[in-house]
């Protein structure tokens, strides 16, 4: 599917193909891992880009509000629109340059996330049918910016999807029914949420797991080197319930993790992003409405504690520590014991980070 005239016009509307912002330590900024995220500025304009640990950054405007960023090879990445969205932006994060738009077909809407296949050529996009909310995984040839197929899922609202070390594709089915013409408004009070494991070659369903509490909507994922999955959920009744479950390699099902009531007070069961440390032992979760981050030992199923942070959003493991963004423009670092590392704190005035961080490079 060649880029349409509409896509070309919208890409041109982004203005200059990239803005290089002031940096410190240019040599250091050119190498090593960067953080990618979407954000809004003080005038509510949308952006996406990459940020080096020393504060250097590449940024470009987006004409839609982004959600998840999929990281590919050769400094390529894709920003997906928040659900229900029509566009995804392919960009070069190292140069801060837009490369093209991936428009969802007229009968499809993006649901916020996507992931590159292990070969780096194919891109999987989480989607739903615009009328029925039927879940779909779109398949794209990134080099040609062409949609080459799709897999129709047994379920609705696929949210985050991640490739597994063993070649499977993990998909969190949020299970909340919405329709494109009503935005994010729910069509009914029902929910059918589950974790799917698919064969990444042909989309065949290999396993499906549900939580005992059917009111938990499975949303976001992190995977350990050995294939352990950390799964973040959001309680649809607003209860101060733990928002993390794990699926260990070879386990029969998802295990919800517990936390003391005082650690969950005020969270309304809403957890956002999740990251695992480098060995896959500690998970850090942002509890945005509770103004804190929460940590668990996912191997021992043990709650480790909480740290206060105003409106935390994205989480990532970077340079042997967790980095957490928030809606005040902060990037703060914590070790696995939830001790903050003040020397790594960065503040970007006028920046309202969106929900997720991705590591590139």
């Amino acid at each position: 599917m060649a880029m349409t005239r509409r896509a070309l016009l919208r890409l041109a509307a982004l203005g200059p193909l990239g803005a290089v912002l002031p940096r410190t330590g240019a040599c250091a900024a050119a190498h090593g891992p960067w953080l990618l995220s979407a954000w809004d500025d003080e005038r509510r304009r949308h952006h996406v880009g990459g940020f080096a640990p020393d504060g250097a950054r590449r940024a470009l405007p987006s004409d839609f509000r982004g959600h998840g960023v999929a990281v590919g090879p050769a400094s390529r990445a894709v920003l997906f629109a928040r659900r229900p969205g029509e566009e995804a932006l392919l960009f070069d994060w190292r140069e801060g340059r837009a490369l093209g738009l991936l428009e969802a077909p007229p009968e499809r809407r993006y649901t916020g996330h996507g992931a590159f296949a292990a070969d780096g050529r194919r891109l999987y996009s989480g989607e739903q049918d615009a009328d029925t909310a039927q879940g779909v995984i779109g398949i794209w040839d990134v080099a040609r910016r062409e949609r080459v197929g799709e897999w129709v899922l047994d379920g609705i609202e696929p949210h985050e999807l991640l490739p597994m070390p063993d070649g499977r594709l993990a998909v969190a089915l949020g299970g909340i029914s919405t329709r494109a013409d009503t935005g994010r408004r729910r069509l009914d009070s029902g929910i059918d949420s589950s974790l799917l494991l698919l064969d990444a070659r042909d989309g065949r369903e290999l396993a499906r797991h549900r939580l005992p509490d059917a009111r938990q909507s499975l949303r976001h994922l992190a995977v350990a080197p050995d294939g352990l999955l950390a799964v973040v959920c959001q309680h649809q009744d607003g209860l101060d319930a733990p928002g993390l479950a794990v699926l260990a390699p070879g386990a029969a099902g998802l295990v919800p993790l517990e936390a003391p009531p005082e650690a969950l007070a005020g969270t309304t069961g809403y957890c956002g992003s999740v990251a695992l440390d480098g060995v896959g032992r500690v998970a850090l979760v942002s509890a945005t409405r509770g103004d804190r981050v929460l940590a668990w030992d996912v191997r021992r199923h043990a709650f480790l504690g909480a740290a206060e942070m105003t409106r935390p959003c994205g989480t990532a493991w970077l340079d042997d520590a967790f980095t957490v963004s928030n809606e005040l423009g902060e990037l703060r670092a914590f070790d696995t014991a939830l001790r903050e590392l003040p020397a790594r704190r960065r503040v970007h005035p006028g920046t309202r980070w969106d929900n997720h961080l991705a590591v590139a490079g």
Side-chain angles (χ1 to χ4, degrees):
M1 180 171 62
M3 185 178 287
T4 65
R5 174 177 170 80
R6 174 171 169 266
L8 286 167
L9 291 173
R10 294 184 75 106
L11 185 60
L14 297 177
L17 286 183
V20 181
L21 280 77
R23 67 168 77 186
T24 59
C27 292
H31 304 284
W34 284 48
L35 291 169
L36 309 183
S37 185
W39 72 91
D40 282 359
D41 63 22
E42 64 276 9
R43 294 175 60 183
R44 310 290 297 182
R45 295 173 299 190
H46 309 311
H47 305 267
V48 66
F51 290 74
D54 68 354
R57 64 176 176 172
R58 298 286 195 275
L60 65 152
S62 168
D63 67 348
F64 59 87
R65 183 179 174 187
H67 189 67
V69 176
V71 179
S75 71
R76 300 297 192 259
V78 177
L79 172 71
F80 286 90
R82 287 169 61 86
R83 63 179 176 94
E86 299 180 13
E87 295 166 326
L89 175 63
L90 175 66
F91 66 100
D92 185 310
W93 56 265
R94 196 176 292 279
E95 296 182 6
R97 182 164 57 95
L99 301 176
L101 290 170
L102 305 178
E103 286 192 299
E107 70 278 9
R108 301 285 182 252
R109 295 294 184 272
Y110 291 124
T111 52
H113 288 272
F116 279 83
D119 62 12
R121 288 183 52 83
R122 289 172 298 153
L123 175 74
Y124 304 118
S125 55
E127 303 172 6
Q128 68 181 38
D129 185 277
D131 295 320
T132 67
Q134 176 76 47
V136 174
I137 302 296
I139 307 169
W140 300 80
D141 182 314
V142 178
R144 295 185 296 166
R145 295 198 297 273
E146 290 185 358
R147 187 182 178 89
V148 295
E150 67 177 28
W151 301 327
V152 176
L153 303 176
D154 181 12
I156 61 175
E157 200 213 349
H159 201 62
E160 188 158 21
L161 46 153
L162 282 181
M164 302 279 286
D166 61 5
R168 293 180 295 174
L169 183 69
V171 181
L173 281 180
I176 299 173
S177 181
T178 60
R179 202 172 63 202
D181 60 0
T182 60
R184 293 163 67 93
R185 192 178 72 192
R186 297 176 60 159
L187 298 181
D188 55 58
S189 59
I191 176 173
D192 184 12
S193 185
S194 58
L195 174 70
L196 299 185
L197 298 177
L198 308 179
D199 188 316
R201 297 168 298 182
D202 56 16
R204 181 166 48 93
E205 183 178 321
L206 302 175
R208 181 184 294 256
H209 301 282
R210 289 184 169 87
L211 284 174
D213 186 347
R215 300 298 293 169
Q216 291 275 33
S217 174
L218 306 181
R219 313 299 298 176
H220 296 117
L221 305 169
V223 62
D226 68 348
L228 177 142
L229 273 170
V231 186
V232 162
C233 38
Q234 296 170 1
H235 204 285
Q236 297 307 293
D237 292 336
L239 302 180
D240 289 337
L244 186 68
V246 296
L247 180 67
L254 282 165
V255 177
L257 303 189
E258 298 298 325
E262 59 271 19
L264 302 173
T267 63
T268 68
Y270 184 92
C271 286
S273 179
V274 58
L276 288 164
D277 69 358
V279 297
R281 183 181 68 86
V282 176
L284 186 80
V285 174
S286 59
T288 308
R289 296 174 183 172
D291 292 326
R292 74 200 68 165
V293 292
L294 308 168
W296 281 267
D297 183 322
V298 294
R299 304 292 171 168
R300 297 189 297 116
H301 299 174
F303 183 70
L304 297 178
E308 293 184 2
M309 183 173 179
T310 303
R311 301 293 293 180
C313 297
T315 62
W317 179 255
L318 180 69
D319 292 337
D320 299 322
F322 292 107
T323 295
V324 186
S325 63
N326 71 1
E327 295 179 1
L328 305 182
E330 296 179 326
L331 293 172
R332 294 170 60 179
F334 298 87
D335 66 15
T336 55
L338 281 185
R339 295 180 294 244
E340 186 176 1
L341 308 176
R344 297 196 190 182
R345 185 184 293 198
R346 297 286 183 268
V347 180
H348 298 270
T351 298
R352 178 177 175 146
W353 296 112
D354 220 287
N355 299 84
H356 299 289
L357 293 173
V359 178

